[in-house]
Amino acid sequence: MNTKNLVLSSLFAAITAIASQISIPIQPVPITFQVLAVALAGALLGKKYGFISQIVFLLIGAIGIPVFAGFKGGFNVIVGPTGGYLLAYPIATYIIGYFSEKKGIINISIGMLFGLIVIYLTGMIQLKFILNLSLKKAFMAGVAPFVILDLIKLVIASFVVDTILKRTNTFQNA
C-alpha cells in the first residue's frame, strides 16, 4: 500500500460522506447520492482500495462522526433499519472494482449493476428484520422507490469513469 492509494481511499471515504448529505429525507430510507460515490470508488480505485475506502467510511461513521445520511453517526445507525445498505458498500465496491479491472464501459456497467443488487439485497433484508416487514413491504419501501434514480446514477458514473480512465493514470484501473 502506497501513499497515493491511501490518499485516494481516504478521498473516496470523504466523497461518500459528502454524497450522504445530499439527500431527500423520505422514510424509512432517504434518497442520497451514496450509490454514485460507491460506484465511483469501486470503478476508479479497483476492488482492494475501493473496499478500503468504504470500510474507512463505515468505521468513521461507527465511531460517531456524522458521515451517514442526515448528518448521523454511530454504531446505532449501522445496526438500524438502513444499516444493511451501508454494510453492503464495501462488498459492492469490491464487486464493482473486480469488474472494472477488466476494463471497458460494459464491464464497468455490469459491475455497477451487480454492486447495486448487493446493496439492495443487503439493505432490504436488514430493513425487513429491523422493522418487522414482509419481504414485499421491505422491497416496496427500500428498493422500488430508488431503482430508476439509482440506474440513472450508474449510467452517469459509468461514462464518467470511462472518460476518466481513458485520460489519466491517477487511478488504480488506469
Side-chain angles (χ1 to χ4, degrees), residues 10-29:
S10 299
L11 175 64
F12 274 91
I15 288 170
T16 306
I18 292 165
S20 300
Q21 306 318 319
I22 305 169
S23 71
I24 300 169
I26 63 171
Q27 294 298 321
V29 181

Side-chain angles (χ1 to χ4, degrees), residues 103-136:
K103 310 276 190 241
I105 195 166
I106 299 299
N107 286 322
I108 292 168
S109 299
I110 290 169
M112 288 182 182
L113 188 59
F114 283 145
L116 182 62
I117 290 168
V118 167
I119 291 169
Y120 283 159
L121 286 175
T122 309
M124 183 178 68
I125 289 167
Q126 186 160 328
L127 190 66
K128 173 197 179 329
F129 286 110
I130 298 296
L131 297 181
N132 197 25
L133 301 174
S134 69
L135 205 52
K136 181 180 179 183

Side-chain angles (χ1 to χ4, degrees), residues 16 18-24 26 29-41 43 69 85 89 96 105 108-109 112-113 116 119-120 142-143 145-162:
T16 306
I18 292 165
S20 300
Q21 306 318 319
I22 305 169
S23 71
I24 300 169
I26 63 171
V29 181
I31 295 172
T32 70
F33 280 85
Q34 289 169 291
V35 166
L36 180 63
V38 168
L40 292 172
Y85 300 97
Y89 292 169
I96 294 165
I105 195 166
I108 292 168
S109 299
M112 288 182 182
L113 188 59
L116 182 62
I119 291 169
Y120 283 159
V143 175
F146 306 97
V147 172
I148 292 173
L149 185 57
D150 283 342
L151 289 174
I152 291 168
K153 291 176 206 172
L154 294 186
V155 168
I156 292 167
S158 294
F159 284 105
V160 168
V161 167
D162 189 56

Side-chain angles (χ1 to χ4, degrees), residues 4-65:
K4 177 184 103 171
N5 290 330
L6 287 172
V7 169
L8 289 172
S9 294
S10 299
L11 175 64
F12 274 91
I15 288 170
T16 306
I18 292 165
S20 300
Q21 306 318 319
I22 305 169
S23 71
I24 300 169
I26 63 171
Q27 294 298 321
V29 181
I31 295 172
T32 70
F33 280 85
Q34 289 169 291
V35 166
L36 180 63
V38 168
L40 292 172
L44 292 172
L45 301 181
K47 62 187 179 217
K48 180 179 179 182
Y49 295 106
F51 179 86
I52 289 170
S53 75
Q54 297 309 299
I55 291 292
V56 169
F57 168 73
L58 289 177
L59 290 174
I60 289 170
I63 64 170
I65 297 173

